[in-house]
């Protein structure tokens, strides 16, 4: 059964610590969230109350249908640490909040919930009750309304969170954890050397998580590699591109270079020469397109060729930092 909600709350984590440039990071995060909303829920808009984001319908009388699915989608935006359906109470009086919390508990309690607690936070400090007083009053009201739901403030099955703001009160419970990190495009851009394996796309994903937008380059060697290699790389690039505005993918034919080295270089050096050529080409592309770094999926000692001397020899041809997350 799809669950509807009046809004979706989005919490950010590390962004909050960027004290001097917090507004810049929040603006980038808001842009990324709005882009995702435009693709998956164009009938919704983004609000920015202090300490979080709220997704609400553009129509004041509407609700968000299948709110859990939309929350899961938005939780995959870098910078978000939690997302979940949320009910908005437009009246901030203690009586209205109490009635709304009781109604929320009655509607959304699941059978497996045997214990609960109330957790209140007040950004509106002039509210007539403290957070502890709110917890006691709201907890008592829920306990009396449910009958068999016990209070456990240490390890409850269900936590009902109440956020009291000056113009509204937000009530939410379960949600989904986000990917965290920094918003993509807040920390420059880099060029990913993308292959069909798992290491390089993971390296690209981790780099994006640090706020870097990426483009990608891949090297193909037809007829030694078939069309399946290209298709796989394009599929991986498409999955990464979902997390940012757009992504350029360069397809570079390496066959002639490999054949030249095969015919003119000692066999033990072939792999190093191939890799140096890849890095040299990638560095040229990065220079022409203002990428600040190269990103690779190499990991020290993972395979026999990935030793410190080999990685140093390969990386020397690049004129910009090489990120190997």
């Amino acid at each position: 059964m799809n669950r509807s909600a009046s809004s979706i709350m989005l919490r950010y984590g590390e962004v909050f610590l960027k004290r001097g440039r917090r507004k810049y990071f929040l603006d980038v995060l808001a842009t990324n969230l709005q882009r995702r909303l435009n693709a998956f829920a164009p009938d919704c808009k983004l609000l920015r109350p202090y300490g979080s984001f709220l997704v609400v319908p553009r129509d004041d009388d509407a609700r968000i249908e299948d709110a859990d699915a939309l929350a899961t989608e938005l939780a995959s935006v870098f910078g978000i640490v939690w997302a979940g359906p949320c009910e908005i109470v437009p009246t901030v009086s203690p009586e209205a909040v109490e009635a709304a919390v009781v109604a929320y508990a009655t509607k959304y309690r699941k059978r497996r919930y045997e214990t609960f607690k109330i957790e209140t936070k007040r950004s509106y400090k002039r509210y007539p009750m403290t957070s502890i007083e709110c917890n006691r009053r709201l907890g008592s009201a829920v306990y009396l309304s449910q009958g068999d739901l016990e209070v456990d403030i240490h390890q409850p099955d269900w936590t009902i969170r109440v956020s009291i703001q000056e113009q509204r009160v937000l009530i939410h419970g379960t949600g989904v954890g986000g990917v965290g990190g920094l918003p993509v495009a807040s920390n420059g851009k880099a060029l990913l050397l993308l292959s069909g394996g798992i290491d390089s796309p993971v390296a690209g994903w981790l780099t994006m998580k640090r706020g870097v937008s990426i483009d990608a380059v891949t090297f193909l060697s037809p007829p030694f590699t078939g069309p399946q290699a290209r298709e796989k790389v394009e599929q991986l690039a498409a999955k990464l591109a979902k997390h940012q505005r757009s992504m350029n993918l360069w397809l570079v034919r390496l066959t002639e270079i490999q054949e030249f080295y095969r015919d003119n270089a000692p066999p033990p050096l072939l792999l190093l020469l191939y890799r140096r050529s890849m890095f040299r080409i990638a560095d040229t592309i990065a220079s022409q397109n203002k990428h600040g770094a190269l990103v690779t999926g190499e990991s020290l000692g993972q395979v026999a060729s990935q030793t410190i001397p080999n990685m140093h020899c390969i990386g020397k041809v690049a004129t910009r930092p090489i990120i190997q997350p």
Side-chain angles (χ1 to χ4, degrees), residues 54-287:
L54 274 183
V55 176
V56 299
R58 295 185 184 276
D59 184 350
D60 293 339
D61 297 325
R63 289 177 63 83
I64 300 175
E65 303 299 331
D66 202 359
D68 289 313
L70 183 56
T72 300
E73 181 65 36
L74 295 175
S76 66
V77 175
F78 289 110
I80 297 300
V81 299
W82 185 91
C86 176
E87 296 298 330
I88 299 177
V89 184
T91 305
V92 299
S93 68
E95 295 77 16
V97 175
E98 179 181 321
V101 170
V102 170
Y104 181 91
T106 302
K107 183 175 182 179
Y108 294 112
R109 179 189 175 185
K110 297 180 180 180
R111 292 182 179 180
R112 69 175 184 269
Y113 294 156
E114 297 180 354
T115 59
F116 83 103
K117 78 170 182 178
I118 302 291
E119 186 176 283
T120 305
K121 292 185 178 180
R122 300 172 306 132
S123 60
Y124 179 42
K125 299 303 182 181
R126 298 178 62 184
Y127 195 70
M129 300 172 64
T130 66
S131 296
I132 294 178
E133 290 171 342
C134 289
N135 291 341
R136 290 171 179 168
R137 175 168 178 167
L138 299 176
S140 298
V142 171
Y143 175 79
L144 293 174
S145 70
Q146 299 300 306
D148 59 341
L149 189 62
E150 300 294 330
V151 176
D152 185 346
I153 63 174
H154 300 293
Q155 292 182 325
D157 299 328
W158 188 25
T159 300
I160 301 175
R161 294 178 171 87
V162 181
S163 175
I164 300 176
Q165 302 173 1
E166 184 173 2
Q167 298 179 343
R168 64 174 76 90
V169 175
L170 308 177
I171 306 172
H172 57 97
T174 57
V176 59
V179 294
L182 297 174
V184 174
S186 65
N187 201 15
K189 66 177 183 176
L191 181 64
L192 169 67
L193 280 74
L194 182 62
S195 69
I198 188 62
D199 295 332
S200 58
V202 170
W205 191 89
L206 291 172
T207 302
M208 295 168 76
K209 188 175 180 179
R210 300 313 304 153
V212 180
S213 61
I214 63 171
D215 291 321
V217 57
T218 191
F219 298 91
L220 304 174
S221 302
F224 307 115
T225 57
Q228 296 85 357
R230 174 174 177 168
E231 292 173 3
K232 188 171 184 180
V233 168
E234 289 176 342
Q235 291 172 359
L236 291 171
K239 288 183 179 292
L240 291 172
K242 172 186 173 181
H243 295 279
Q244 56 186 40
R245 182 175 182 178
S246 63
M247 177 185 291
N248 295 313
L249 173 62
W250 284 270
L251 303 174
V252 179
R253 178 185 171 99
L254 203 65
T255 306
E256 289 75 17
I257 293 176
Q258 289 179 309
E259 290 175 339
F260 175 81
Y261 284 135
R262 180 197 63 192
D263 298 336
N264 296 278
L269 298 181
L270 289 180
L271 182 58
L272 283 179
L273 293 172
Y274 295 160
R275 294 291 292 169
R276 281 172 62 92
S277 295
M278 293 178 187
F279 272 66
R280 187 178 286 111
I281 294 170
D283 192 65
T284 301
I285 294 173
S287 297

Side-chain angles (χ1 to χ4, degrees), residues 296-324:
T296 78
E298 293 176 309
S299 178
L300 183 62
Q302 183 170 330
V303 296
S305 63
Q306 291 176 358
T307 63
I308 290 179
N310 285 356
M311 294 173 69
H312 175 66
C313 177
I314 294 169
K316 282 181 67 176
V317 301
T319 61
R320 66 207 63 246
I322 299 174
I323 301 173
Q324 298 167 323

Side-chain angles (χ1 to χ4, degrees), residues 25 40 211:
F25 283 95
F40 289 91

